[in-house]
């Protein structure tokens, strides 16, 4: 046992060193979000090869705290005033995304022969953690549900940022904006302190997704009030991207593919369908709201608010608008997820497991 503990930590260190190295290569190739995408590709690759990755439990929350704190700085008084006029389109987009999730669930049922409850929890973009909790409550195997939810986030990270930058054509170096963000030691330290306090406050209040929404609310309030907060150094933000990338890649492993069987290709196809439906929604809403198409694609992406907000920063699009669309959807979907699940159970005659 004494030898296994150092060996375990050495393995974790080697995995993160490999993720950092792959992120560096991605940065040299001018890949958008290079440290996240590089780490994600590396972690997924070695996980599928058979290397078991035990990402530390706090790795994703830590990454979210840093990124959300940085994103919250975009919520200046001027940005908040602009968002007021977009409230109705935000709500409409959220409701249409839920409807698209049910359509994709129906397709997933036909492609994989899973039951309606599993398909619904796998398809409505409510996040891996929330969907897993509901799956356990209703006696559904959480494995396929978490796989589908994580697969969608991975696809969004790997497809949308590179595709938008390729089509946009105006950004030669995707990392330049993030590298050149103004920061001071005192301002960055204050931002991190407020972000951590915001995260654990919402966790104590049992608010869903506290490690993103808490830091976001704290830094947004600080920016709106004119407190002396600044961005963090670029390498801190790059480190947060590495943590997020490794965490996502660790979820996909060889055993999951073996157990899931037909569900894997079905989940892949349904993920592409969900992305296509949300892309169509973005292209419809963009001219109606007078919003740039790239901003609207990021705003209506089915999940992955952390990564989409970072991409908006890279493109110098409206970070506040993109984030607000996602937050609106989160606050509609997460509280209503148990209700949506109960409706699905009633319509499909699903019987929840008896409580002791």
């Amino acid at each position: 046992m004494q030898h296994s503990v150092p060996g375990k930590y050495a393995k974790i260190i080697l995995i993160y060193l490999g993720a950092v190295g792959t992120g560096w290569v991605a940065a040299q190739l001018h890949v958008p979000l290079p440290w996240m995408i590089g780490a994600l590709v590396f972690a997924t690759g070695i996980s599928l090869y058979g290397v078991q990755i035990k990402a530390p439990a706090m790795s994703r929350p830590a990454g979210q705290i840093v990124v959300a704190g940085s994103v919250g700085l975009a919520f200046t008084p001027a940005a908040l005033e602009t968002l007021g006029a977009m409230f109705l389109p935000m709500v409409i987009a959220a409701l249409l995304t839920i409807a698209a999730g049910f359509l994709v669930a129906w397709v997933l049922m036909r492609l994989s022969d899973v039951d309606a409850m599993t398909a619904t929890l796998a398809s409505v973009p409510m996040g891996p953690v929330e969907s897993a909790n509901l799956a356990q409550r209703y006696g559904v195997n959480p494995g396929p549900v978490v796989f589908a939810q994580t697969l969608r986030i991975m696809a969004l990270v790997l497809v949308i940022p590179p595709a938008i930058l390729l089509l946009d054509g105006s950004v030669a170096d995707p990392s330049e904006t993030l590298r050149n963000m103004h920061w001071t030691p005192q301002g960055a330290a204050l931002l991190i302190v407020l972000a951590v306090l915001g995260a654990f406050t919402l966790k104590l209040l049992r608010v869903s997704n506290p490690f993103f929404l808490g830091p976001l609310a704290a830094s947004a309030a600080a920016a709106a009030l004119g407190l002396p907060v600044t961005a963090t150094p670029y390498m801190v933000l790059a480190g947060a991207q590495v943590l997020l990338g490794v965490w996502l890649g660790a979820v996909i492993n060889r055993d999951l593919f073996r157990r899931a069987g037909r569900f894997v290709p079905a989940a892949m196809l349904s993920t592409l369908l969900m992305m296509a439906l949300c892309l169509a929604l973005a292209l419809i809403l963009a001219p109606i709201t007078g919003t740039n198409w790239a901003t609207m694609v990021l705003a209506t992406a089915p999940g992955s608010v952390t990564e989409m907000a970072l991409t908006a920063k890279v493109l110098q699009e409206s970070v506040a608008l993109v984030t607000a669309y996602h937050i609106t959807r989160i606050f509609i979907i997460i509280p209503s997820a148990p209700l949506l699940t109960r409706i699905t159970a009633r319509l499909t005659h699903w019987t929840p497991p008896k409580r002791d």
Side-chain angles (χ1 to χ4, degrees):
M1 179 65 69
Q2 293 178 343
H3 296 290
S4 64
V5 173
K8 179 181 72 174
Y9 286 112
K11 178 181 176 182
I12 292 174
I13 291 171
L14 288 174
I15 288 171
Y16 278 103
L17 286 175
V20 169
T22 311
W24 181 85
V25 172
Q28 305 314 302
L29 297 174
H30 297 307
V31 174
L33 306 184
W35 302 98
M36 183 183 301
I37 290 179
L40 172 57
V41 170
F42 175 81
T44 304
I46 65 171
S47 183
L48 290 177
Y49 182 73
V51 176
Q52 188 177 16
I53 303 176
K54 291 284 188 181
M58 280 300 295
S59 59
R60 182 164 175 81
Q64 286 184 305
I65 286 172
V66 173
V67 172
S70 178
V71 168
L73 296 176
F75 284 80
T76 61
L80 291 174
E81 185 178 344
T82 302
L83 293 178
M86 298 292 288
F87 179 72
L88 183 58
M90 290 177 190
V91 173
I92 292 173
L95 295 176
L96 289 176
T97 302
I98 294 174
F102 278 103
L103 175 60
V104 170
W106 179 82
V107 172
L108 183 59
M109 287 173 58
R110 295 298 181 271
L111 292 176
S112 63
D113 292 331
V114 296
D115 58 83
M117 187 64 71
T118 299
T120 299
L121 293 173
S123 303
V124 176
M126 62 184 73
V129 175
E130 185 68 22
S131 60
N133 290 338
L134 288 171
Q136 291 176 337
R137 184 186 305 177
Y138 281 87
V140 171
N141 180 7
V145 170
V146 172
F147 171 78
Q149 292 279 349
T150 307
L151 178 67
R152 188 186 66 256
I153 295 174
M154 290 179 64
L156 291 170
V157 173
L158 292 173
V159 173
I160 290 185
I164 289 182
L165 262 71
L166 181 64
L167 293 172
D168 182 87
S170 64
V171 182
D173 183 357
S175 299
E176 183 178 6
T177 302
L178 299 180
R179 283 202 311 268
N180 295 333
M181 289 177 64
H182 169 70
W183 72 277
T184 65
Q186 299 86 351
L190 178 58
L191 177 71
I192 294 298
V193 169
L194 292 175
V196 170
L197 288 175
F200 284 96
T201 297
L202 290 200
K203 183 172 175 59
L204 288 174
L205 295 174
R206 299 183 182 275
V207 175
S208 182
N209 205 357
F211 293 106
F212 183 83
L213 296 181
L216 179 73
S219 62
L225 293 172
L227 298 182
V229 291
T230 68
T232 58
Y234 175 65
M235 291 316 298
V236 173
L237 190 57
Q241 291 185 51
V242 171
L243 292 177
L244 293 170
V246 171
W247 186 90
L248 282 171
V251 175
I252 308 300
N253 58 61
R254 189 185 294 177
D255 288 340
L256 183 59
F257 270 79
R258 277 200 294 259
R259 292 195 304 267
R262 285 179 55 190
F263 185 81
V264 172
M268 291 178 176
L269 288 173
S270 63
T271 293
L272 293 177
L273 175 59
M274 188 67 181
M275 291 171 64
L277 291 172
C278 289
L279 174 61
L281 175 62
L283 297 180
I284 292 171
L285 286 177
I288 294 175
T289 60
T291 307
N292 177 274
W293 69 270
T295 300
M296 194 55 70
V297 169
L298 294 171
T300 59
S304 195
V305 54
T306 309
E307 295 78 11
M308 296 304 106
L310 268 183
T311 305
K313 270 185 169 294
V314 169
L315 289 170
Q316 301 184 48
E317 298 291 346
S318 177
V319 181
L321 183 64
V322 169
T323 308
Y325 264 85
H326 282 269
I327 291 174
T328 301
R329 186 174 66 231
I330 288 170
F331 277 107
I332 289 177
I333 289 182
I334 298 302
S336 64
L339 174 61
L340 295 173
T341 310
R342 285 197 298 270
I343 292 173
T344 302
R346 188 172 296 118
L347 292 176
T348 58
H349 306 292
W350 180 272
T351 303
K354 296 181 178 179
R355 297 181 181 271
D356 294 333

